Amino acid sequence: MASYNAILAPKLKAACLEATPKESTLSNGTNSSTRRHLGRCREDQRVGMTMWFNQFTVLLQRSMKERRYESFNTLRVFQVLVGALLAGTMWWHSDYRDIQDRLGLLFFISIFWGVLPAFNAVFAFPQERAIFMKERASGMYTLSSYFMARIVGEIPMELALPTLFITMAYWMTGLRPDLGAFLLTLFILLGYVLVSQGLGLALGAAIMDAKQASTMANVTMLAFVLTGGFYVHKVPACMAWIKYISSTFYTYRLFINVQYGNGERIAKAFGCSGQNGNNYGDGGPDCKFIREDLEGQISPWVCVGAMVLMFVGYRVLAYLALRRIRT
């Protein structure tokens, strides 16, 4: 029955839909036959949806059982804990006015949680290619049910460790002591992790070779980090376009906005404000950092919109790449 519903039922449905227009023009006696065909097609649709959800449920359970050991293995937990402790120790209760140090901390978080999820996700589909092709060739499940189970099953696994990291590092480093600011930082980080994971999934599905995909992920993240806005402010024109497709750039800007807003408060603290409240002048290196990193930055809503597009777009690209694989 499972094989019939997965393989023959869609063909029967297509045949019913093709036969319906022709039969509807016949006599009233034939209309009853048409109604029977339509009823059979609707029943096949319900059976098809039921089968899809059954496949999704089984694949989701399998994915979570497999991924929980990989996501929470001792080495990965140790890596995250050490990263949080190092960040907390290096920036222990940093001062709000230490702008250069604070920006370094925010960019370190952006790098750490941009690279780690991307490199972990890039191996997902290449490692499962043989099993995936075998099961798909036997008609065990549809591509959409497999892909959705994989995506949904990884979300709780991928978000637990970043939550632990930012909970430790945020309060140890003395970032803005406000619950709302902490929650905003947490949500930005979790969204960034999912976007970086989507990038790794797209590269892995497109290349389907673990070594080549990891190399491409390395090059891509390197480009994103260099154009993220911390190392270089005046990016060459030939490379300026990269920052607009860089998730690191948008995440870094969102982190800065949560901590410093538009920079007016910190500018007044340093005496950098002019009469219009935005002219920071040449009041020293701190005023220069305020002018370059805080003043006139891209709108937070634009950053959020770009991150949402990347979250959806990378996964759509991964799905389309998997569709190219012939079983």
Side-chain angles (χ1 to χ4, degrees):
M1 291 179 63
S3 299
Y4 168 81
N5 291 326
I7 300 174
L8 297 182
K11 298 179 180 179
L12 178 60
K13 173 186 172 183
C16 290
L17 294 177
E18 291 177 358
T20 298
K22 298 179 181 179
E23 295 177 356
S24 61
T25 59
L26 298 178
S27 62
N28 294 333
T30 311
N31 287 337
S32 60
S33 177
T34 301
R35 287 193 293 269
R36 287 196 299 271
H37 281 292
L38 290 175
R40 193 176 305 167
C41 290
R42 295 191 187 98
E43 183 179 356
D44 290 337
Q45 291 177 355
R46 290 193 296 268
V47 171
M49 290 300 297
T50 302
M51 285 298 299
W52 190 92
F53 280 109
N54 289 338
Q55 294 169 4
F56 171 79
T57 302
V58 174
L59 291 171
L60 179 62
Q61 294 175 355
R62 185 179 74 172
S63 177
M64 296 187 69
K65 288 179 181 179
E66 293 176 348
R67 293 287 295 166
R68 65 183 178 183
Y69 298 107
E70 181 180 351
S71 300
F72 300 113
N73 64 63
T74 305
L75 186 60
R76 184 170 298 183
V77 175
F78 175 77
Q79 181 183 16
V80 172
L81 289 177
V82 170
L85 291 174
L86 286 176
T89 305
M90 289 291 296
W91 284 276
W92 176 260
H93 289 183
S94 59
D95 195 319
Y96 176 79
R97 295 176 296 179
D98 293 335
I99 301 176
Q100 301 179 30
D101 291 346
R102 283 287 186 90
L103 295 181
L105 169 62
L106 298 178
F107 199 70
F108 165 75
I109 297 174
S110 302
I111 295 175
F112 188 84
W113 287 109
V115 174
L116 190 62
F119 274 90
N120 291 335
V122 81
F123 297 100
F125 293 127
Q127 289 179 344
E128 295 184 357
R129 180 176 183 176
I131 298 176
F132 169 73
M133 293 180 64
K134 178 182 177 181
E135 293 177 345
R136 285 279 291 128
S138 62
M140 293 181 63
Y141 48 75
T142 62
L143 175 60
S144 59
S145 61
Y146 166 80
F147 185 79
M148 289 301 299
R150 181 81 194 200
I151 297 301
V152 175
E154 287 189 345
I155 289 179
M157 306 294 180
E158 290 294 332
L159 299 186
L161 292 181
T163 302
L164 174 64
F165 175 91
I166 199 64
T167 302
M168 295 177 58
Y170 191 93
W171 302 109
M172 290 178 67
T173 55
L175 291 174
R176 184 177 169 186
D178 182 84
L179 180 60
F182 167 73
L183 293 177
L184 282 176
T185 304
L186 174 62
F187 292 149
I188 293 169
L189 179 63
L190 296 182
Y192 180 46
V193 168
L194 293 178
V195 171
S196 300
Q197 180 200 31
L199 174 62
L201 292 174
L203 291 174
I207 300 175
M208 273 299 176
D209 182 271
K211 292 183 179 180
Q212 296 180 12
S214 62
T215 301
M216 286 300 301
N218 187 16
V219 173
T220 303
M221 291 306 303
L222 178 62
F224 285 177
V225 167
L226 290 177
T227 58
F230 179 77
Y231 296 120
V232 181
H233 292 97
K234 297 179 180 179
V235 181
C238 61
M239 298 186 64
W241 61 273
I242 299 178
K243 71 179 182 180
Y244 296 110
I245 62 172
S246 169
S247 55
T248 304
F249 170 76
Y250 295 112
T251 303
Y252 179 53
R253 294 303 169 193
L254 288 172
F255 282 157
I256 293 176
N257 186 267
V258 171
Q259 296 299 316
Y260 290 102
N262 58 6
E264 291 183 2
R265 177 185 171 191
I266 190 66
K268 291 179 180 179
F270 282 105
C272 302
S273 300
Q275 294 181 353
N276 58 359
N278 292 323
N279 182 16
Y280 300 139
D282 297 323
D286 291 321
C287 294
K288 181 180 179 182
F289 263 83
I290 294 173
R291 184 175 64 252
E292 292 179 345
D293 289 280
L294 305 182
E295 181 190 25
Q297 295 298 340
I298 189 170
S299 170
W301 292 110
V302 174
C303 296
V304 172
M307 295 291 284
V308 172
L309 287 177
M310 292 182 190
F311 171 80
V312 177
Y314 285 144
R315 283 161 175 78
V316 170
L317 291 176
Y319 179 77
L320 295 177
L322 289 178
R323 287 181 62 90
R324 296 187 300 106
I325 301 177
R326 295 183 177 180
T327 56

